[in-house]
Each structure stands twice: as structure tokens, then as C-alpha cells.
Amino acid sequence: MTKQEKSWEKRLSGTADELAVEFVESLSYDRRLYKYDIAGSIAHAEMLAERKIITRAEAADIKKGLLEIGEQIAAGKFTFHKTQEDIHMAIESALVAKVGDAGKKLHTGRSRNDQVATDIRLWMRDEIEILLTRMTQLQIALVRQAEKYIDDVMPAYTHLQRAQPATIASYLLSFVEMLARDWSRLKDCRDRLNVCPLGSGAVAGSTLPLDREMTAKNLGFADITYNSIDAVSDRDFCAEFIFCCSLISAHLSRLAEDWILYTSAEFSFIRTDDAYCTSSSMMPQKRNPDMLELIRGKTGAVYGALVAMLTILKAQPSTYNRDLQEDKIHVFAAADTTDACLQMAAAIVSHTAFNTKRIADGLDEGFLDATALAEYLVRKGIPFRQAHGIVGGLVALCEKEDKKKLGDLSIEQFKAACDKIEADVFETLNPKGVCQSYKTAGSAGPDSAKAQIVYWKGKLKEQ
Ligand code: ARG
């Protein structure tokens, strides 16, 4: 292992234990922060020059050196040494090797504590933009599919039992609405994290006249943080970010679970293109929804990251502690998994068709129009609780007489149950008709679906 010069060599004696070097390093995963580390360092150097703490020429050398290092890393031509611990030290020592004494002045008034806190915020800002776009793409895919199924009815389930009829469009749009909450939650997270800790130093700030507003502004932050002790160890935004990813994952896992069921022979509601299915190594007939199962399964890793992050934060003494280095492992894992799942979900949604005929053929199953019949009785002046009982009795009668649907009962049987029932009752008794007569805003009928589609098309264009 190449021996690297470290700034604390004068303080600590001897070379670090091999095991300790491996154990303490974060370079293997935090190198993905390199662009942000360089941007933060350039802003810091320019501010130091503005405040005459270093000269303009020194700042220019630093900038030039850092940009070259950035290009080298991007091109895969930079040699990382684990002994440098992290991306901050790796870049700084390469800078010193490149530009000499000017490079040694870069860390003036700065600590890796405020540096890393700045880097993660910068990285996360970009990452959130990517995730927001991915979510919008998934929403667009869902709306496009919804447009195809405005008049097609499917059973809506509660407790996984057939409940009421709903248009397929409304079902698809339910996920668009879920994702809209995820979208704005992540946007809020971005707005809250967009404050700059740079200049907080190790913990208490600096005796040098640093211009914190200047670096914050140059890095595109909306404000600076106002307490250096908090700023160096605040990772609330990391927990919040992973929580946002967790809810996205929860929602994707619900879609995945539905669709895994829907692809089964028992449901046969949907068919996804072969490109998104796998087969079995043994059973030649199999067509498995592995992508959906993986979306569902990967939720575990994202939740795991959230629990890990929250646990890292628990009872940590003020202020920066090395425990915090672990934040990146979980933040990156949550981001990467969520990103991959959002992309796969959008692809699957775009390449899936609903078996509308098969779904329609099965609509007589499960008394989907029972609630609408109870509401028919309400319109005839019967109190709802009583209407509920009457219809419950009629469903039991159907089951007893082996009648598949309420519409198979005779008008005499209806009248025997309640004399307010007229021949017009049969108009109420079919799932498609029920769907069309939903009156409430946001209901699962075609009119509401159409209105939602118009709304989302406008909204998603702005996003
Ligand atoms: N690699 C460290 C991290 O990610 C950087 C900060 C280390 N600071 C220190 N004083 N040891 O948290």
C-alpha cells in the first residue's frame, strides 16, 4: 500500500494498522460525491480570495487544479488510495501534489465536518431532481393507461373481497394520486435541506472572516445554517429523504402486489409484455412476474436504510461523530433502489394491458351493485341502516337460491323484501350502470376519471 502523507502525521505516531485503514475508510462509496466536493471547494477558495485570506492567483490555481482532478476522476484516470480515508482527503492531497502550496491553503477555515455536510446536501439536491422526474414519468405512464380504460369497469376490492365497481382508469389514477404526495413530500425535503453548513468548521465556526453567504449563494443554496454546532451533525434531511424513498417504495410495492395477483390465472386481469417476465428453469409453461416481485422485495432494503439511519442518529452525542460517515451508505442505497424501482415500474405500467373482456365477464360475481341498491332504497326514503339490512337479506336470498346476482331476483321477491322497490330497480342492478351513476367528486366512475385525467395532464406538464 502506498504511503500517503496525512495532515495529522505530526500528531499521531507510526502508520495506521492495516485493519484500521480498511475499517475507517469511506472512499469506496463516498467517491460518488466528488463533483460536489469539488464544487464546494471551488466556492470556498473563491470566498477565501474575496476575503483576502488567500490571493486571487492561489484561488485560480486551486480552481484549475480541482477542475483537472474532476476531469481525471470522471475519466476513470484518478488513482484512489484507501489510506486517504475519504473523497475529501483524496481530492485535497491530489490538489497539493498538483499545485503545491496554494493547495495547502484550501482547507483554511474549513473542516471535513462542514465539508461533508455540504457535499451530501449538494448531492441530494440533484438526486431529488432525478427522482422527481422518475416519479413524473411513472405518473405519465399511469395517466396514459388510464385514458385507455375510462369506460371499462373492474371490481374494486376492500379486504381483498369484491366491494364496488370502479373504472380501470380510476384504479390506475389512484396510484397517480399516491405518487403526487410522494412527489411533493420529496420536493419539501429538497427545500428544507437547501441550506448551507459550509463555514461552520469542525463545530464552532472560525476566527477568520469567512463570508458564508457568498459560498451559500454560489452553491445555489437558499440560505445558510444558523448554528454551527447543529450544522455539522444535522442529518435530519438524510432520515427525511430515506423516509420519502420508503413511502415511494411502499406505494410501488402495493402496485406490484396488485399486479402480481392480477397476472395469476385466478385473476387474469392483466398481461405484461414478455420482456418484463421471466420463466422457470424447470417448469416450461411458467411466465413469472419477477420484476414486480423484485419491486415488492426491494422495499425491504429501503425500509432497512431508514431504520439504519434513524438508529445512527439515536442518542448520538453532540456534535459530529464518525458514526455519521455511515449516513451515506444508507442514503445512497435508498436512492439507488428507489430510482431503479421507479424506472422499472414505469416500464411495466407502459407495457401492460388489461384483459377488459375477461374482467367484464366476471363482473356479476360478488354482488358489486349491493351498495348501489342500498342507496336506491335511501332515495326511496328508507333510512340507510335499514336499507343495508334489506339488501343484506336479499344477498343472502340469492345465495340460498343459487342466484348469481341481485338482478336475477324477481320483482315479487324485491317487493317482499321492501314495498318501496319498483321495477326501475333493475336499472340500478349492473356494475357498469352503477359506475356511471356515481355522483361524488373523486368517485370511481368514468366522469370523475375523465376529470382527474384532465387535471393530471395539466399538472404533470408543469412538474
Ligand atoms: N468521511 C467523513 C464522513 O463522511 C468525513 C468527516 C470526517 N471528519 C472527521 N473529523 N473525522 O463523515
Side-chain angles (χ1 to χ4, degrees):
M1 193 176 289
T2 353
K3 194 174 177 301
Q4 293 293 313
E5 201 190 313
K6 274 194 191 165
S7 57
W8 54 78
E9 283 212 333
K10 301 256 180 333
R11 172 71 180 84
L12 303 179
S13 58
T15 4
D17 176 77
E18 190 74 30
L19 202 60
V21 168
E22 284 287 334
F23 195 72
V24 82
E25 71 86 27
S26 54
L27 193 49
S28 50
Y29 55 90
D30 69 11
R31 65 180 65 177
R32 71 191 273 179
L33 293 176
Y34 82 90
K35 264 198 292 179
Y36 306 99
D37 198 68
I38 287 171
S41 289
I42 291 173
H44 184 65
E46 282 172 348
M47 179 277 293
L48 291 175
E50 185 65 31
R51 281 298 163 106
K52 303 204 171 15
I53 300 167
I54 63 174
T55 67
R56 289 244 163 254
E58 285 167 336
D61 283 351
I62 289 173
K63 183 172 178 179
K64 189 164 167 283
L66 286 170
L67 290 175
E68 279 170 24
I69 292 167
E71 278 164 27
Q72 269 177 283
I73 299 176
K77 291 194 181 122
F78 188 90
T79 320
F80 290 102
H81 300 283
K82 275 198 174 155
T83 47
Q84 286 159 336
E85 285 192 17
D86 55 29
I87 189 64
H88 325 293
M89 302 292 285
I91 292 176
E92 193 185 325
S93 56
L95 181 71
V96 174
K98 222 180 237 299
V99 305
D101 283 349
K104 291 187 185 164
K105 294 190 176 179
L106 173 62
H107 214 50
T108 310
R110 189 175 72 165
S111 154
R112 279 186 295 161
N113 298 354
D114 59 342
Q115 187 177 359
V116 70
T118 307
D119 289 4
I120 318 173
R121 286 173 193 262
L122 288 170
W123 170 84
M124 200 176 279
R125 253 177 16 189
D126 279 2
E127 187 60 31
I128 288 178
E129 289 304 327
I130 295 169
L131 291 176
L132 290 176
T133 308
R134 302 266 192 254
M135 274 189 270
T136 305
Q137 285 162 347
L138 175 55
Q139 287 178 301
I140 289 171
L142 286 160
V143 172
R144 281 206 184 118
Q145 287 285 23
E147 278 185 286
K148 297 185 200 159
Y149 301 108
I150 293 172
D151 292 312
D152 295 297
V153 176
M154 67 182 278
Y157 294 81
T158 64
H159 313 267
L160 214 53
Q161 306 296 313
R162 288 182 169 229
Q164 287 182 285
T167 68
I168 296 176
S170 306
Y171 164 74
L172 291 165
L173 292 163
S174 72
F175 289 100
V176 179
E177 189 131 335
M178 265 181 236
L179 286 161
R181 290 193 296 277
D182 293 331
W183 197 95
S184 73
R185 194 176 291 114
L186 207 44
K187 187 93 166 57
D188 285 352
C189 173
R190 187 201 178 281
D191 292 345
R192 215 174 346 269
L193 71 81
N194 196 24
V195 287
C196 188
L198 200 58
S200 301
V203 56
S206 169
T207 57
L208 297 165
L210 309 178
D211 184 345
R212 294 196 53 213
E213 275 80 12
M214 179 181 166
T215 38
K217 190 160 174 275
N218 287 348
L219 292 168
F221 285 106
D223 205 349
I224 59 166
T225 56
Y226 285 92
N227 183 301
S228 65
I229 298 174
D230 173 51
V232 291
S233 64
D234 169 24
R235 296 291 186 276
D236 294 358
F237 63 97
C238 294
E240 193 178 343
F241 173 76
I242 306 177
F243 175 72
C244 293
C245 292
S246 297
L247 267 191
I248 295 168
S249 303
H251 294 152
L252 295 184
S253 77
R254 295 184 69 187
L255 176 79
E257 171 74 2
D258 277 0
W259 288 25
I260 291 163
L261 287 172
Y262 291 175
T263 52
S264 68
E266 286 69 17
F267 275 85
S268 277
F269 277 11
I270 58 169
R271 188 174 174 91
T272 302
D273 285 1
D274 284 355
Y276 301 95
C277 298
T278 52
S279 195
S280 153
S281 56
M282 186 174 177
M283 299 167 284
Q285 87 285 11
K286 287 303 286 290
R287 211 171 165 279
N288 292 331
D290 291 33
M291 310 302 145
L292 291 166
E293 291 166 66
L294 283 168
I295 290 176
R296 187 177 59 184
K298 284 174 190 287
T299 310
V302 182
Y303 287 10
L306 178 62
V307 174
M309 189 67 234
L310 290 170
T311 312
I312 288 168
L313 298 181
K314 179 187 177 290
Q316 215 184 115
S318 298
T319 61
Y320 179 85
N321 300 275
R322 197 60 175 259
D323 315 38
L324 290 177
Q325 176 165 286
E326 299 277 307
D327 58 357
K328 286 169 284 300
I329 297 174
H330 307 296
V331 162
F332 292 159
D336 293 345
T337 307
T338 307
D339 187 353
C341 290
L342 281 167
Q343 288 191 66
M344 184 46 66
I348 291 179
V349 166
S350 306
H351 293 91
T352 294
F354 280 75
N355 300 332
T356 49
K357 190 173 163 347
R358 151 101 191 188
I359 297 172
D361 288 348
L363 286 176
D364 284 343
E365 205 81 52
F367 304 98
L368 290 166
D369 43 15
T371 308
L373 178 57
E375 290 182 350
Y376 165 90
L377 293 177
V378 167
R379 283 196 298 276
K380 300 277 180 193
I382 314 273
F384 180 76
R385 196 39 73 215
Q386 200 183 326
H388 184 278
I390 294 167
V391 179
L394 288 167
V395 169
L397 180 63
C398 282
E399 280 179 347
K400 196 166 136 238
E401 295 199 349
D402 223 9
K403 291 195 157 74
K404 208 170 160 203
K405 52 185 205 291
L406 286 161
D408 292 342
L409 293 170
S410 67
I411 186 69
E412 290 73 31
Q413 285 175 306
F414 275 119
K415 284 221 171 279
C418 172
D419 57 10
K420 295 265 170 52
I421 299 182
E422 312 285 342
D424 65 354
V425 71
F426 292 101
E427 290 158 30
T428 312
L429 296 176
N430 76 85
K432 193 159 180 161
V434 170
C435 237
Q436 277 159 353
S437 51
Y438 287 139
K439 301 255 182 320
T440 47
S443 66
D447 292 343
S448 165
K450 267 184 234 159
Q452 289 175 55
I453 289 169
V454 170
Y455 171 79
W456 287 118
K457 281 176 126 180
K459 178 101 180 148
L460 296 174
K461 227 181 270 163
E462 290 161 19
Q463 245 168 234

